[in-house]
Amino acid sequence: MKLEAIGLENDIARWFKSYLSDRQQLVENSGSNSKRTTVTCGVPLGFILGHLLFLTYVNDMSAVTRNSLRLYADDSAILVANKSRSVIEKELMMICKLLAPGWLITTCHYTLVKQNPLSFVLNTS
């Protein structure tokens, strides 16, 4: 677990793991509740230590990937571009294998998005 790898004592790391594991959520709207769903990632909304966990999670991501890394608020994305879907999948799987050991995560998910390039021209008139 990454928390232990950065030097937190086992008891503290186990507390974090326990606090973040086996959680469920539901949506309440006008007195009606949705079905409970298991939460498999993230930290509880308003969790004061959530920011610290996020910074711990991302502090060395840039050293692991040579691809474009995007960080915003409490989210991260690694962008990989290639014409070959298999090349993209191999690259993303390699990145996931590098990131997953010892981190707060145990699985990696990726989404393949096909985009057409956009051209922008500056109009100086």
Side-chain angles (χ1 to χ4, degrees), residues 21-63:
S21 299
D22 301 321
R23 294 179 294 124
Q24 293 187 334
Q25 69 182 18
L26 61 84
V27 175
E28 180 182 346
N29 184 15
S30 301
S32 297
N33 294 338
S34 68
K35 180 180 167 188
R36 289 185 179 270
T37 304
T38 300
V39 178
T40 59
C41 60
V43 296
L45 186 61
F47 182 49
I48 194 76
L49 296 175
H51 302 293
L52 175 64
L53 285 176
F54 178 73
L55 291 174
T56 302
Y57 169 71
V58 300
N59 70 348
D60 54 359
M61 282 179 80
S62 61

Side-chain angles (χ1 to χ4, degrees), residues 70-90:
R70 299 288 187 251
L71 302 173
Y72 180 76
D74 63 349
D75 199 6
S76 58
I78 297 171
L79 308 177
V80 177
N82 195 292
K83 290 182 179 183
S84 167
R85 179 184 177 124
S86 65
V87 170
I88 292 172
E89 288 176 342
K90 286 177 187 175

Side-chain angles (χ1 to χ4, degrees), residues 6-18:
I6 64 168
L8 285 181
E9 295 179 16
N10 288 340
D11 289 344
I12 296 170
R14 276 195 299 275
W15 178 85
F16 271 107
K17 188 174 182 178
S18 171

